[in-house]
Amino acid sequence: MRKNVLKDKMLRGERTTNGWCAFGSSYSAELLGHAGFDSVTVDMQHGMFDFTQVLPMLQALSATPAVPVVRVPWNDTAVIMHVLDAGAYGVICPMINNRAEAERLVAACRYAPVGMRSYGPARGLLFGGPDYFDHANAEIVVFAMIETIDGINNLDDILATPGLDGVYIGPNDLALVLGARPGTDLTEPKCIDTIAHILARAQAHQKFAGIFCASGAVGAIRRKQGFHLVTLSHEGSYLSQTAKAHVAAALAEPAASASDGGELKPSTGY
Ligand code: 3PY
Ligand code: MG
């Protein structure tokens, strides 16, 4: 079976970067797959698409060096099994509250006797190879998202779940349940302390810790803190920010644009 190079890298203690698809576009997924990320996550929870688009996005990612991961919309066994059959090498599941929910997540991702994943790996075989069944339980990487009060309170139980590879922090939902505003994970003491606590407990259990970051700059801070996997915003924000910057540059005085440096340099725009 094709190795899960994302999991291997984290097992070696190396830090990884993850891209995040908010659009239901195979071309967009392909662009992210070639951008240098170790993995790219197709976001079925908040992305503007459903399984019909997930399949071609995973196919597009197959032609890139990035490991294909899916954030499923919920801890729904049928959806989890379906995205794995479609070739996902990693699953990130939102809002895991307790050990029973973590066990349910893991069971959906692992074949018996470890779990209850149903057999029918379809694209998993095409992407992974003919010996997919023999190694899938070991290669697929599974993250439980910690972003609820129950999830925080039951963190040690969740982390002790056999077969769970790690936890992944949703800093925006986490901020909400802590009584703060989204986007305050680096400024609100409650958020800072809770994120540090989750990271420390993951490290104590020798499990991976991942986190969504609003930008590459935030990702750099999280990497230094010790997170194994940092997601660097998503393509919706790249498009919006870059579009605004182009509009601002076009509306600026020509002298100002020139002194900005970039605008007059030869560029294909890609
Ligand atoms: C959160 O910040 O809550 C997330 O789920 C990130 O996608
Ligand atoms: Mg969330």
Side-chain angles (χ1 to χ4, degrees):
M1 179 176 171
R2 185 197 298 250
K3 292 296 288 176
N4 186 337
V5 292
L6 173 72
K7 190 166 178 174
D8 274 2
K9 207 166 168 178
M10 292 190 292
L11 283 171
R12 289 197 302 270
E14 292 179 39
R15 311 270 180 259
T16 66
T17 58
N18 176 51
W20 199 261
C21 296
F23 303 157
S25 160
S26 54
Y27 177 49
S28 188
E30 191 178 18
L31 284 171
L32 289 183
H34 284 294
F37 295 110
D38 296 289
S39 55
V40 169
T41 297
V42 173
D43 180 17
M44 293 182 80
Q45 185 188 21
H46 292 296
M48 297 291 110
F49 53 86
D50 60 23
F51 185 81
T52 318
Q53 281 96 17
V54 170
L55 179 60
M57 291 166 81
L58 292 175
Q59 288 169 321
L61 284 171
S62 296
T64 79
V67 173
V69 176
V70 173
R71 174 166 69 175
V72 290
W74 200 245
N75 193 5
D76 179 326
T77 302
V79 174
I80 294 168
M81 290 184 185
H82 206 187
V83 301
L84 291 172
D85 287 348
Y89 258 38
V91 170
I92 299 175
C93 183
M95 296 197 169
I96 294 297
N97 292 300
N98 52 48
R99 171 73 173 255
E101 290 182 9
E103 285 174 354
R104 182 182 162 89
L105 163 64
V106 171
C109 297
R110 313 287 187 214
Y111 291 119
V114 181
M116 55 161 287
R117 182 177 171 195
S118 175
Y119 186 78
R123 254 207 97 246
L125 280 170
L126 300 181
F127 180 68
D131 57 346
Y132 178 88
F133 172 73
D134 300 308
H135 304 287
N137 280 359
E139 293 295 333
I140 305 290
V141 64
V142 186
F143 282 95
M145 287 193 72
I146 303 298
E147 49 184 353
T148 64
I149 293 295
D150 282 347
I152 298 163
N153 291 339
N154 295 316
L155 181 61
D156 280 301
D157 276 354
I158 293 169
L159 281 163
T161 306
L164 185 77
D165 295 295
V167 290
Y168 180 96
I169 299 174
N172 296 308
D173 280 316
L174 194 72
L176 294 188
V177 299
L178 293 173
R181 294 182 61 79
T184 58
D185 51 293
L186 283 169
T187 50
E188 274 286 342
K190 276 180 293 194
C191 298
I192 294 170
D193 292 349
T194 306
I195 289 171
H197 170 68
I198 297 169
L199 173 61
R201 294 317 301 157
Q203 287 168 334
H205 285 261
Q206 298 188 312
K207 297 278 167 99
F208 305 139
I211 187 165
F212 186 88
C213 306
S215 66
V218 176
I221 294 169
R222 298 301 185 200
R223 276 163 70 85
K224 251 189 227 128
Q225 290 175 334
F227 281 92
H228 300 89
L229 177 138
V230 293
T231 299
L232 309 180
S233 192
H234 62 82
E235 93 246 89
S237 76
Y238 305 157
L239 178 65
S240 164
Q241 285 170 21
T242 309
K244 285 175 189 161
H246 280 288
V247 171
L251 299 182
E253 293 297 320
S257 313
S259 69
D260 262 9
E263 304 311 314
L264 302 179
K265 280 190 200 149
S267 166
T268 66
Y270 284 90

